[in-house]
Amino acid sequence: MTSGNTGAGKANRFPWVLVVSTLVSLAILVSLGNWQVRRLAWKEGLLATIDQRIHAEAVPLSEALTMMRSGEDIEYLPVSLGGTFLPDTEQHVLSTWKGASGWNVYQPLRLDDGEILFVNRGFVPYDRKDPATRPDSRPEGEQTITGLARLPLDDKPGFLVPENDPVKNEYYWKDLAAMTAAAELDGETIVPLFVDAGPQADPSKLPIGGITNIDLPNNHLQYVVTWYGLAAALLAVSGVFLWRRLRQP
């Protein structure tokens, strides 16, 4: 008889463990949803800024550098510059363009003031990496370039990205220091900036310019729905369970 009463007491005890664990899990899910809401607002603001910036008039490189040194964000800012490409110094970054694999050609440009800036001249197909296969792509003399300012990366963007191989002239991420060393430019003044060149006057010529990817993924809305949806589902299931438990005689 005593054993039966003890079992009934345990069965009717309020499920505090369930309530506490549900509240903790609910708080975590809602916090993740709130974080994604903030990320969504940030990404939408970033996309709007990029869209506005890439359609603006190009500014001289010197003005862009002054803005950068004063702490302003110049990513994707249209810039204009002039100089002479250094021969036999191409650096090749693995890339894709319209579904085809290939390379983005980064080549150092000696500016009018003597400094060096690496220009992403554009895309070439995978089997046209060797400049000898595209002799018409070798620029000679003074060049005038309009393109988008891009900031170099401080480090490899993720552990899944392969290591760069400067010896084979194969890069998987934009490592300015490695490109500088491979092009034998140590001791030169290197501008801490890349410029993605715009399209060439003849679009059939290599490299294909104007290939900057500005279609950044924005999946934060679906993450918001996911986290808030899980929170709502958890609340509903726990509420039904607790309601049935409290209705037990």
Side-chain angles (χ1 to χ4, degrees):
M1 188 69 175
T2 302
S3 176
N5 288 337
T6 302
K10 289 182 178 180
N12 292 326
R13 187 178 300 166
F14 190 80
W16 287 110
V17 174
L18 172 65
V19 172
V20 172
S21 60
T22 298
L23 291 176
V24 171
S25 300
L26 191 63
I28 293 173
L29 292 172
V30 171
S31 296
L32 290 171
N34 293 341
W35 177 62
Q36 288 298 333
V37 168
R38 294 192 294 271
R39 292 285 293 175
L40 175 62
W42 167 80
K43 181 60 72 69
E44 289 179 343
L46 174 63
L47 292 173
T49 299
I50 292 174
D51 183 68
Q52 180 184 22
R53 191 169 289 173
I54 63 175
H55 292 101
E57 291 291 329
V59 302
L61 176 64
S62 57
E63 182 177 333
L65 292 175
T66 300
M67 295 167 60
M68 183 178 70
R69 289 163 184 151
S70 66
E72 293 187 52
D73 177 23
I74 64 167
E75 185 84 349
Y76 298 102
L77 180 69
V79 297
S80 59
L81 59 154
T84 305
F85 283 108
L86 303 183
D88 304 321
T89 54
E90 287 187 4
Q91 307 296 306
H92 303 113
V93 179
L94 190 67
S95 182
T96 59
W97 174 246
K98 294 185 177 180
S101 61
W103 309 91
N104 284 347
V105 177
Y106 283 76
Q107 189 166 357
L109 181 82
R110 186 175 295 280
L111 303 171
D112 297 333
D113 61 4
E115 295 186 347
I116 303 290
L117 182 142
F118 277 81
V119 176
N120 175 10
R121 296 177 54 209
F123 176 85
V124 297
Y126 196 84
D127 58 354
R128 306 290 295 277
K129 174 185 175 185
D130 187 350
T133 65
R134 42 183 171 82
D136 292 342
S137 71
R138 297 180 177 181
E140 297 180 356
E142 183 78 12
Q143 305 289 318
T144 300
I145 296 170
T146 300
L148 301 179
R150 303 299 310 278
L151 299 176
L153 300 176
D154 295 328
D155 203 352
K156 190 169 69 168
F159 69 93
L160 294 178
V161 178
E163 296 290 342
N164 289 329
D165 191 346
V167 174
K168 293 183 178 180
N169 199 347
E170 295 178 355
Y171 296 85
Y172 302 94
W173 59 281
K174 300 180 297 183
D175 187 344
L176 181 57
M179 290 181 181
T180 299
E184 300 181 351
L185 295 174
D186 291 329
E188 296 277 5
T189 301
I190 307 297
V191 178
L193 190 69
F194 294 109
V195 170
D196 288 354
Q200 296 196 58
D202 183 356
S204 65
K205 292 185 63 174
L206 294 176
I208 302 170
I211 47 81
T212 305
N213 178 24
I214 56 174
D215 186 20
L216 304 181
N218 185 9
N219 301 317
H220 298 293
L221 180 58
Q222 70 185 53
Y223 296 150
V224 169
V225 173
T226 297
W227 293 123
Y228 283 159
L230 289 173
L234 174 64
L235 188 62
V237 171
S238 302
V240 170
F241 177 84
L242 185 61
W243 177 73
R244 290 179 176 176
R245 183 68 177 269
L246 295 176
R247 281 177 57 86
Q248 289 180 356

